[in-house]
Amino acid sequence: MIDDPNQHGAEAFEPERPSKSQRKRDVQALQDVGIALVKLGAEQVHKLDLPEKLREAVLEAQRITSHEGRRRQLQYVGKIMRQVDAAPIEEQLAVINGESKSAVALMHRCERWRDRLIDDDDALTEFLAEHPIEDVQSLRAMIRAARKEHAGGQPPRHARELYRLLRERLGATT
Protein backbone atom coordinates (compact mmCIF):
# COMPACT_ATOMS: atom_id res chain seq x y z
CA MET A 1 0.00 0.00 0.00
CA ILE A 2 1.40 3.32 -1.08
CA ASP A 3 0.79 6.29 1.16
CA ASP A 4 -0.39 9.51 -0.39
CA PRO A 5 1.74 12.33 0.99
CA ASN A 6 -1.19 14.75 0.63
CA GLN A 7 -3.42 12.71 2.94
CA HIS A 8 -1.22 12.55 6.00
CA GLY A 9 -1.20 16.15 7.03
CA ALA A 10 -4.40 17.28 5.33
CA GLU A 11 -5.96 18.42 8.60
CA ALA A 12 -2.91 20.53 9.39
CA PHE A 13 -3.36 22.51 6.14
CA GLU A 14 -7.05 23.31 6.74
CA PRO A 15 -7.44 27.05 6.73
CA GLU A 16 -8.36 28.43 10.15
CA ARG A 17 -9.99 31.51 8.69
CA PRO A 18 -12.00 32.27 5.56
CA SER A 19 -10.16 32.64 2.30
CA LYS A 20 -9.33 36.07 0.96
CA SER A 21 -12.04 35.69 -1.66
CA GLN A 22 -14.62 34.83 1.01
CA ARG A 23 -13.58 37.82 3.09
CA LYS A 24 -14.02 40.04 0.02
CA ARG A 25 -17.50 38.60 -0.58
CA ASP A 26 -18.41 39.22 3.05
CA VAL A 27 -17.19 42.81 2.88
CA GLN A 28 -19.12 43.35 -0.36
CA ALA A 29 -22.27 41.96 1.26
CA LEU A 30 -21.87 44.46 4.11
CA GLN A 31 -21.25 47.22 1.57
CA ASP A 32 -24.50 46.22 -0.18
CA VAL A 33 -26.39 46.49 3.12
CA GLY A 34 -24.90 49.97 3.55
CA ILE A 35 -26.01 50.94 0.04
CA ALA A 36 -29.52 49.66 0.82
CA LEU A 37 -29.54 51.87 3.92
CA VAL A 38 -28.52 54.90 1.87
CA LYS A 39 -31.33 54.23 -0.62
CA LEU A 40 -33.93 54.49 2.16
CA GLY A 41 -35.58 57.78 2.97
CA ALA A 42 -34.20 59.85 5.84
CA GLU A 43 -37.37 59.22 7.85
CA GLN A 44 -36.97 55.45 7.49
CA VAL A 45 -33.31 55.66 8.50
CA HIS A 46 -34.31 57.50 11.68
CA LYS A 47 -36.85 54.75 12.51
CA LEU A 48 -34.23 51.99 12.23
CA ASP A 49 -32.30 50.83 15.27
CA LEU A 50 -28.81 51.76 14.08
CA PRO A 51 -25.64 52.77 15.90
CA GLU A 52 -25.44 56.57 15.89
CA LYS A 53 -22.17 56.64 13.95
CA LEU A 54 -23.69 54.50 11.18
CA ARG A 55 -26.89 56.57 11.08
CA GLU A 56 -24.89 59.79 10.68
CA ALA A 57 -22.74 58.28 7.93
CA VAL A 58 -25.82 57.03 6.05
CA LEU A 59 -27.58 60.40 6.30
CA GLU A 60 -24.43 62.15 5.14
CA ALA A 61 -24.16 59.81 2.14
CA GLN A 62 -27.75 60.70 1.24
CA ARG A 63 -26.86 64.40 1.20
CA ILE A 64 -23.76 64.06 -0.98
CA THR A 65 -24.43 64.63 -4.68
CA SER A 66 -20.90 64.39 -6.06
CA HIS A 67 -20.26 60.96 -7.58
CA GLU A 68 -16.77 60.52 -6.16
CA GLY A 69 -17.70 61.98 -2.78
CA ARG A 70 -20.71 59.69 -2.56
CA ARG A 71 -18.57 56.68 -3.52
CA ARG A 72 -16.07 57.48 -0.75
CA GLN A 73 -18.88 57.99 1.77
CA LEU A 74 -20.38 54.62 0.78
CA GLN A 75 -16.96 53.04 1.39
CA TYR A 76 -16.98 54.67 4.81
CA VAL A 77 -20.47 53.30 5.51
CA GLY A 78 -19.15 49.85 4.53
CA LYS A 79 -16.22 50.28 6.92
CA ILE A 80 -18.60 51.11 9.77
CA MET A 81 -20.78 48.13 8.79
CA ARG A 82 -17.78 45.83 9.37
CA GLN A 83 -17.64 47.05 12.99
CA VAL A 84 -21.32 46.38 13.83
CA ASP A 85 -23.54 43.30 13.87
CA ALA A 86 -25.25 43.43 10.48
CA ALA A 87 -27.85 40.70 11.09
CA PRO A 88 -30.37 42.91 12.98
CA ILE A 89 -29.95 45.64 10.37
CA GLU A 90 -30.58 43.16 7.55
CA GLU A 91 -33.72 41.94 9.34
CA GLN A 92 -35.01 45.50 9.66
CA LEU A 93 -34.32 46.12 5.97
CA ALA A 94 -36.17 42.93 5.07
CA VAL A 95 -39.21 44.12 7.02
CA ILE A 96 -39.08 47.52 5.32
CA ASN A 97 -38.73 45.93 1.91
CA GLY A 98 -41.54 43.50 2.67
CA GLU A 99 -39.30 40.46 2.36
CA SER A 100 -39.79 39.02 5.82
CA LYS A 101 -42.41 36.35 6.43
CA SER A 102 -44.24 38.55 8.92
CA ALA A 103 -44.38 41.45 6.46
CA VAL A 104 -45.73 39.20 3.71
CA ALA A 105 -48.31 37.72 6.11
CA LEU A 106 -49.40 41.23 7.11
CA MET A 107 -49.71 42.22 3.46
CA HIS A 108 -51.91 39.22 2.68
CA ARG A 109 -54.03 39.81 5.75
CA CYS A 110 -54.60 43.45 4.80
CA GLU A 111 -55.48 42.47 1.22
CA ARG A 112 -58.01 39.90 2.45
CA TRP A 113 -59.65 42.42 4.77
CA ARG A 114 -59.74 45.07 2.05
CA ASP A 115 -61.38 42.69 -0.41
CA ARG A 116 -63.88 41.50 2.19
CA LEU A 117 -64.76 45.07 3.20
CA ILE A 118 -65.34 46.04 -0.42
CA ASP A 119 -67.36 42.90 -1.26
CA ASP A 120 -69.39 42.31 1.91
CA ASP A 121 -71.38 44.74 4.10
CA ASP A 122 -71.19 42.47 7.15
CA ALA A 123 -67.39 42.43 7.02
CA LEU A 124 -67.21 45.96 8.45
CA THR A 125 -69.07 44.89 11.61
CA GLU A 126 -66.74 41.92 12.00
CA PHE A 127 -63.65 44.09 11.41
CA LEU A 128 -64.76 46.70 13.93
CA ALA A 129 -65.44 43.97 16.52
CA GLU A 130 -61.86 42.72 16.15
CA HIS A 131 -60.15 46.08 15.58
CA PRO A 132 -62.03 49.06 17.02
CA ILE A 133 -61.43 52.30 15.12
CA GLU A 134 -62.33 55.76 16.39
CA ASP A 135 -63.27 57.26 13.01
CA VAL A 136 -65.76 54.73 11.66
CA GLN A 137 -67.48 57.32 9.46
CA SER A 138 -64.41 57.99 7.31
CA LEU A 139 -63.79 54.24 7.05
CA ARG A 140 -67.33 53.73 5.75
CA ALA A 141 -66.88 56.58 3.26
CA MET A 142 -63.60 55.06 2.06
CA ILE A 143 -65.26 51.66 1.58
CA ARG A 144 -68.16 53.23 -0.36
CA ALA A 145 -65.73 55.13 -2.60
CA ALA A 146 -63.69 51.96 -3.20
CA ARG A 147 -66.86 50.05 -4.13
CA LYS A 148 -67.93 52.83 -6.48
CA GLU A 149 -64.58 52.98 -8.28
CA HIS A 150 -64.47 49.15 -8.48
CA ALA A 151 -67.95 49.05 -10.02
CA GLY A 152 -67.05 51.83 -12.46
CA GLY A 153 -63.79 50.21 -13.55
CA GLN A 154 -61.77 53.18 -12.31
CA PRO A 155 -58.22 53.04 -10.96
CA PRO A 156 -58.23 51.75 -7.36
CA ARG A 157 -57.19 54.96 -5.57
CA HIS A 158 -59.61 54.56 -2.65
CA ALA A 159 -58.93 50.82 -2.44
CA ARG A 160 -55.23 51.69 -2.00
CA GLU A 161 -56.09 54.21 0.71
CA LEU A 162 -58.19 51.54 2.42
CA TYR A 163 -55.26 49.11 2.20
CA ARG A 164 -52.92 51.71 3.74
CA LEU A 165 -55.35 52.32 6.59
CA LEU A 166 -55.69 48.58 7.19
CA ARG A 167 -51.94 48.08 7.08
CA GLU A 168 -51.40 50.88 9.57
CA ARG A 169 -54.12 49.51 11.85
CA LEU A 170 -53.27 45.80 11.58
CA GLY A 171 -49.52 46.44 11.64
CA ALA A 172 -49.88 48.29 14.93
CA THR A 173 -51.69 45.37 16.57
CA THR A 174 -49.19 42.68 15.57
Side-chain angles (χ1 to χ4, degrees), residues 11 31 34 38-39 84 86 109 125 129 173:
E11 296 85 30
Q31 185 80 23
V38 172
K39 288 182 181 179
V84 299
R109 194 166 157 222
T125 307
T173 60

Side-chain angles (χ1 to χ4, degrees), residues 147-171:
R147 287 177 181 165
K148 186 177 179 181
E149 69 189 10
H150 181 71
Q154 298 172 341
R157 185 174 71 103
H158 293 292
R160 286 188 192 117
E161 288 179 23
L162 180 60
Y163 173 82
R164 282 188 211 107
L165 183 133
L166 292 170
R167 183 176 173 99
E168 180 180 303
R169 184 68 191 153
L170 296 176

Side-chain angles (χ1 to χ4, degrees), residues 8-168:
H8 280 289
E11 296 85 30
F13 295 113
E14 292 286 325
E16 295 176 11
R17 59 183 181 165
S19 68
K20 186 175 181 181
S21 297
Q22 183 59 47
R23 288 192 314 252
K24 285 183 179 182
R25 285 190 293 269
D26 294 343
V27 167
Q28 184 59 47
L30 291 174
Q31 185 80 23
D32 292 342
V33 171
I35 290 170
L37 288 172
V38 172
K39 288 182 181 179
L40 294 176
E43 184 176 310
Q44 288 177 317
V45 172
H46 285 292
K47 288 180 182 178
L48 293 175
D49 183 26
L50 299 174
E52 193 58 36
K53 189 175 181 180
L54 178 60
R55 178 178 287 114
E56 290 173 4
V58 167
L59 293 172
E60 182 63 27
Q62 290 176 340
R63 286 188 286 270
I64 296 174
T65 57
S66 163
H67 176 70
E68 184 60 22
R70 186 176 176 90
R71 185 193 68 77
R72 285 193 309 267
Q73 186 67 20
L74 287 174
Q75 294 285 27
Y76 179 63
V77 168
K79 179 180 178 182
I80 295 172
M81 288 293 300
R82 290 191 294 267
Q83 300 167 0
V84 299
D85 183 17
I89 296 171
E90 289 173 330
E91 289 174 11
Q92 293 176 61
L93 281 172
V95 169
I96 287 175
N97 295 330
E99 296 169 357
S100 71
K101 290 181 181 181
S102 61
V104 171
L106 175 63
M107 179 188 70
H108 289 304
R109 194 166 157 222
C110 292
E111 287 175 345
R112 282 192 303 271
W113 269 115
R114 179 194 61 202
D115 294 342
R116 285 183 62 200
L117 288 169
I118 291 173
D119 294 338
D120 184 15
D121 290 330
D122 296 331
L124 179 60
T125 307
E126 185 181 334
F127 179 79
L128 290 174
E130 291 179 28
H131 311 283
I133 293 180
E134 299 79 30
D135 193 9
V136 178
Q137 194 67 26
S138 66
L139 178 61
R140 287 180 199 270
M142 196 179 299
I143 293 170
R144 278 194 306 272
R147 287 177 181 165
K148 186 177 179 181
E149 69 189 10
H150 181 71
Q154 298 172 341
R157 185 174 71 103
H158 293 292
R160 286 188 192 117
E161 288 179 23
L162 180 60
Y163 173 82
R164 282 188 211 107
L165 183 133
L166 292 170
R167 183 176 173 99
E168 180 180 303

